[in-house]
Amino acid sequence: MNFIPRYIFFTKLLIVLNDRYNRLLSFVPAHFLLPSGYKKTAAKITKARLQKRLAETLGNFQNFPEKYISEREKEIILRDAGNALSHRFELLGSGPVTSDPIDWHCDFKSGHRWPGGKYYKKYIRINKTDDSDVKVPIELSRCHHLLWLGEAYLITGDERYPEEIVAQIRNWIKENPYAYSINWSCAMDVAIRAVNWIYTLNMIISSDAVDDRFCQQITGSLLEHIHFIYQNLEKGAPYSGNHYASNLTGLVMLGLLFQDDQHIKSCFEFGKAELFREIRNEVLPTGVHYEKSISYHRLMTELFAYPVILLQKNGYDIPPDIHYRIRSMFDFIRAYTKPDGSAPLVGDNDDGRLLPFVKHAFNRHDYLLSVSARMFGNTDYESGTGADAFFLLPEHYPLSVSVPPESTSSGSKIFPDAGFAVLKNEHFYIFFNNSGIGMYYPELNKKMIATHNHADLLSFDLSYGKCNVFTDAGAYVYTSSLKAHNEFRSTGKHNTINIDGCDQYHVEQENFWAYSGFNMPSCLEYSQDKDCQRIAGAYTWTLPGDTVTHKRTLELHPGRVLLADEISATGEHLYQSRFMLDAGIKVESVEDNVIKLHHGPHNRKLKLEILTDYKVTIRTEPASVSYDYGCLTATTQLIIEFRQKGNFRFLLNISSGNI
């Protein structure tokens, strides 16, 4: 198994010794360790040669007339380009922040600044004693905002946009010398930045602001990016995730541009072979990415599909099984998309993207359906979003913009290998989650693992028409607050039963993303008859002095949903059936085991009837949902509490007076 590429012995020895002593690179700067051919390759580049190479590799972006995007997309692009022009940024919940001149090393949210000029392996990225979030400066340095400046130039022809892009890239290179800043500390971010640079450059290459000198400068930096990725691959053992996939995407998409350099060609060939290997390893047969987080599935679809699109455009054969898995990833997106076009918030969410050509709301993934329509010709997937499809497949873009359909629903679908199910009928949408630990870790019998999943088994999202009713709470933050991170991945933050205030598996309080004491959930059980769809799953809790099995069944009937929780236990426990209400839902009344909910904007009402013969206590608590990383929205959590001993059954009927 090829875990890392081959290194030149002496180069590796110098890097290892420097990492240990942090002295050698005082005398041997890191750029001296770059292959000698890189400088020659950059020196030979002219604007004309680079323009031709970009057009042949990525496509001709100069044919981007306004009619290829909707007026709404045009407004978003020009608004965000205007903000970037004014150095006004809003990153990961920071709120609007002006940074002029741009500070590439600062966390705008906490005010913490990582000093420049430091070897990348010597930075402390995570500090549990403060609220700094390293994701903020590295998100800025992914340079997504340059795409919007480039698109604005294609729309308006205004030279201010390419002039700003050139100035910002030159400033970034100056402020972030190779291997010496916080923005070189993670190869994933290095790869994403470089890919955004090449797409942006292809948008503005015809501008007078781009000259031979700049083309040589950015080419030299891009070659440094390729070398850095290749020398710092984030491959895991035995399984890898989104970081390694980003590395490979960078090697493939950049490597296609510079294959005339022999060292780059070897990086490209390695990246292509490993990319196919990882697609086969990481995408489950039903198309779900094996980290089992909805947000990360969106990111992984971009990381896997976009380089495959580029390879195919450049004449490379794509194995049929790779095509199948990529298409299956789009199928999953289509299935989980809610009637209002949003996506569930299941699992971690860091708002990560590869190429955000339009700054969509981060729980909107349906723009990818238009990419799938162009890639596979399945026009029923068309969502009306145009920019993403154009820049990825400019030669195949349709001559007019389709009107978005009323809904992307395509019926119920089960994903048994992932533990997910989507049930739909005329009135309701349900996303049911019994996924368990992501990747293939349970097979390893590890005592503790790190994963992007939450302790959220048997939780579900519910929508009534376009009204989201029960929602996952999201993720909020990662390293800036260990307490908040643990809260949002706890069982009590999800739409499932909480027992004795415990979590379904132990949330490791001092280890980000780590869990222990987990059990495998049961396989999903699905059945259907004329008037009812039924999904069921089960999970066994290991509690002090008792083992409790919780089986949950959801029945989707015309006009109503029946929830049945069956508990098998020996001792007495405190049970809390929790429901996180979407921010648009208000509790209208609670009376005689009947709860009435109301969605004001859509004027929709729902009635929840508790069908039990034992006493329950119903209460509501203020709560918060994170629809975007770093952002909180106030809402309400509904809690139905009861104390029971031994085996019992809890029933809840959900119906609406609007039907």
Side-chain angles (χ1 to χ4, degrees):
M1 185 181 294
N2 190 359
F3 283 91
I4 58 174
R6 294 185 299 274
Y7 286 86
I8 300 172
F9 173 75
F10 289 108
T11 300
K12 182 177 179 182
L13 179 61
L14 284 171
I15 292 173
V16 170
L17 290 173
N18 180 73
D19 291 346
R20 184 173 182 84
Y21 299 110
N22 198 26
R23 292 172 183 165
L24 282 176
L25 293 189
S26 298
F27 307 99
V28 185
H31 68 267
F32 285 166
L33 303 179
L34 294 167
S36 59
Y38 283 7
K39 184 176 289 188
K40 296 178 182 177
T41 299
K44 290 189 295 184
I45 283 290
T46 63
K47 175 177 176 175
R49 291 184 64 186
L50 187 56
Q51 184 172 10
K52 182 175 185 292
R53 189 174 292 188
L54 285 166
E56 290 174 349
T57 304
L58 305 181
N60 183 3
F61 294 171
Q62 306 309 309
N63 299 322
F64 182 59
E66 294 180 27
K67 68 178 183 179
Y68 282 1
I69 59 172
S70 65
E71 283 300 313
R72 176 59 180 154
E73 278 192 314
K74 178 182 173 183
E75 290 173 8
I76 294 171
I77 289 169
L78 293 179
R79 177 202 67 196
D80 293 330
N83 287 333
L85 203 61
S86 303
H87 299 178
R88 193 163 51 246
F89 305 103
E90 188 167 0
L91 300 169
L92 305 175
S94 67
V97 174
T98 299
S99 180
D100 194 13
I102 297 174
D103 190 340
W104 301 103
H105 311 279
C106 183
D107 170 11
F108 303 139
K109 296 171 69 174
S110 68
H112 181 83
R113 189 178 190 278
W114 285 263
K118 193 174 179 180
Y119 186 56
Y120 73 100
K121 290 193 176 182
K122 299 303 178 181
Y123 283 99
I124 298 174
R125 288 169 52 91
I126 300 173
N127 190 340
K128 297 179 183 178
T129 64
D130 62 29
D131 60 351
S132 63
D133 192 344
V134 73
K135 284 184 62 61
V136 176
I138 64 178
E139 181 75 16
L140 177 62
S141 280
R142 288 182 175 186
C143 293
H144 295 320
H145 62 280
L146 298 186
L147 293 173
W148 311 325
L149 289 167
E151 291 166 329
Y153 173 63
L154 293 176
I155 293 170
T156 67
D158 190 333
E159 287 290 333
R160 292 180 303 157
Y161 298 117
E163 288 169 0
E164 179 65 23
I165 290 168
V166 170
Q168 286 199 27
I169 291 177
R170 280 179 166 158
N171 179 255
W172 192 96
I173 293 171
K174 177 184 175 183
E175 296 293 322
N176 298 270
Y178 176 68
Y180 280 88
S181 90
I182 189 65
N183 295 309
W184 289 100
S185 62
C186 175
M188 176 183 192
D189 304 299
V190 173
I192 291 175
R193 173 171 58 252
V195 170
N196 280 261
W197 279 8
I198 63 173
Y199 273 84
T200 299
L201 185 59
N202 198 31
M203 295 174 186
I204 65 167
I205 193 71
S206 63
S207 168
D208 291 339
V210 180
D211 56 19
D212 287 349
R213 183 181 175 187
F214 176 70
C215 289
Q216 291 166 5
Q217 185 180 23
I218 193 172
T219 297
S221 185
L222 288 170
L223 295 175
E224 291 176 349
H225 280 63
I226 297 172
H227 185 73
F228 184 92
I229 297 164
Y230 195 52
Q231 299 291 344
N232 292 274
L233 291 169
E234 298 170 277
K235 186 172 180 65
Y239 305 118
S240 299
N242 58 85
H243 279 247
Y244 188 52
S246 301
N247 305 160
L248 302 175
T249 295
L251 292 180
V252 169
M253 299 180 82
L254 295 172
L256 282 167
L257 275 177
F258 301 111
Q259 287 193 69
D260 51 344
D261 183 287
Q262 188 56 42
H263 186 265
I264 298 299
K265 186 174 179 63
S266 66
C267 293
F268 166 76
E269 293 294 345
F270 170 83
K272 179 166 68 74
E274 282 288 280
L275 179 72
F276 290 164
R277 180 180 179 277
E278 287 303 312
I279 291 172
R280 292 177 173 121
N281 277 351
E282 298 188 28
V283 182
L284 299 174
T286 58
V288 182
H289 183 257
Y290 74 168
E291 289 190 87
K292 301 179 185 176
S293 155
I294 297 299
S295 176
Y296 280 89
H297 178 88
R298 182 262 299 275
L299 172 62
M300 294 306 301
T301 302
E302 292 189 2
L303 291 175
F304 284 158
Y306 291 6
V308 166
I309 289 172
L310 210 57
L311 284 167
Q312 188 166 354
K313 283 174 59 177
N314 284 272
Y316 288 89
D317 292 329
I318 307 299
D321 66 311
I322 298 298
H323 265 301
Y324 172 80
R325 288 175 188 269
I326 296 295
R327 179 162 183 164
S328 297
M329 296 183 81
F330 287 111
D331 289 342
F332 181 50
I333 293 171
R334 187 189 190 200
Y336 70 59
T337 299
K338 297 183 180 183
D340 72 340
S342 66
L345 302 173
V346 174
D348 276 348
N349 173 24
D350 71 349
D351 292 356
R353 297 283 306 278
L354 175 60
L355 285 163
F357 294 107
V358 179
K359 192 176 182 181
H360 304 286
F362 282 107
N363 66 337
R364 295 296 297 251
H365 304 177
D366 53 345
Y367 65 91
L368 282 166
L369 301 182
S370 64
V371 176
S372 177
R374 301 281 68 76
M375 187 175 181
F376 297 107
N378 45 351
T379 54
D380 59 320
Y381 272 28
E382 187 63 66
S383 68
T385 300
D388 300 273
F390 172 80
F391 288 111
L392 291 165
L393 289 156
E395 296 85 356
H396 305 287
Y397 197 81
L399 296 178
S400 61
V401 176
S402 300
V403 177
E406 187 69 17
S407 167
T408 55
S409 345
S410 58
S412 301
K413 195 164 183 181
I414 315 303
F415 304 87
D417 48 11
F420 293 143
V422 179
L423 303 186
K424 301 176 183 179
N425 66 11
E426 182 182 355
H427 302 110
F428 289 103
Y429 161 104
I430 295 171
F431 185 94
F432 185 72
N433 174 17
N434 201 38
S435 59
I437 297 299
M439 303 169 89
Y440 303 124
Y441 282 126
E443 301 173 4
L444 305 178
N445 297 316
K446 286 191 172 184
K447 293 183 179 180
M448 184 172 72
I449 64 165
T451 175
H452 282 300
N453 303 114
H454 293 173
D456 56 359
L457 299 174
L458 305 177
S459 183
F460 69 105
D461 275 30
L462 176 71
S463 296
Y464 171 46
K466 290 190 175 183
C467 302
N468 297 324
V469 182
F470 302 148
T471 181
D472 194 286
Y476 185 37
V477 293
Y478 289 172
T479 61
S480 62
S481 173
L482 185 57
K483 179 180 178 182
H485 180 61
N486 290 337
E487 175 192 350
F488 274 79
R489 59 193 183 124
S490 68
T491 301
K493 200 73 173 174
H494 295 87
N495 303 319
T496 187
I497 283 186
N498 187 234
I499 306 176
D500 293 338
C502 298
D503 290 306
Q504 291 168 337
Y505 24 82
H506 180 64
V507 177
E508 293 289 328
Q509 297 299 309
E510 296 301 319
N511 293 286
F512 284 101
W513 298 283
Y515 297 95
S516 60
F518 44 84
N519 298 317
M520 288 288 288
S522 71
C523 294
L524 294 177
E525 302 172 9
Y526 176 77
S527 61
Q528 181 178 7
D529 55 37
K530 181 179 179 181
D531 296 320
C532 173
Q533 299 179 61
R534 188 177 296 105
I535 190 70
Y539 182 73
T540 298
W541 296 56
T542 302
L543 297 170
D546 200 2
T547 299
V548 180
T549 298
H550 172 205
K551 180 177 182 180
R552 169 165 282 183
T553 304
L554 286 168
E555 294 183 356
L556 181 58
H557 298 267
R560 70 185 182 96
V561 175
L562 180 65
L563 180 152
D565 287 316
E566 299 175 72
I567 301 293
S568 299
T570 301
E572 181 178 299
H573 301 280
L574 177 67
Y575 298 90
Q576 294 175 333
S577 189
R578 291 175 170 261
F579 301 93
M580 188 69 67
L581 302 182
D582 186 80
I585 297 290
K586 306 298 179 186
V587 178
E588 194 173 68
S589 65
V590 177
E591 186 177 356
D592 296 330
N593 282 4
V594 176
I595 305 156
K596 293 184 179 179
L597 306 177
H598 181 241
H599 190 284
H602 288 87
N603 194 28
R604 293 278 190 164
K605 294 186 178 182
L606 280 173
K607 182 170 67 174
L608 281 59
E609 300 174 87
I610 303 169
L611 309 176
T612 66
D613 55 2
Y614 48 83
K615 183 179 179 181
V616 301
T617 301
I618 304 170
R619 71 175 191 272
T620 60
E621 292 182 353
S624 54
V625 172
S626 180
Y627 295 107
D628 301 313
Y629 182 94
C631 298
L632 290 178
T633 300
T635 187
T636 301
Q637 189 173 45
L638 176 66
I639 302 171
I640 304 171
E641 185 174 274
F642 42 92
R643 185 173 290 277
Q644 288 289 105
K645 182 177 182 179
N647 302 338
F648 68 95
R649 200 169 186 228
F650 173 81
L651 296 175
L652 180 70
N653 189 68
I654 304 169
S655 61
S656 174
N658 296 108
I659 296 176

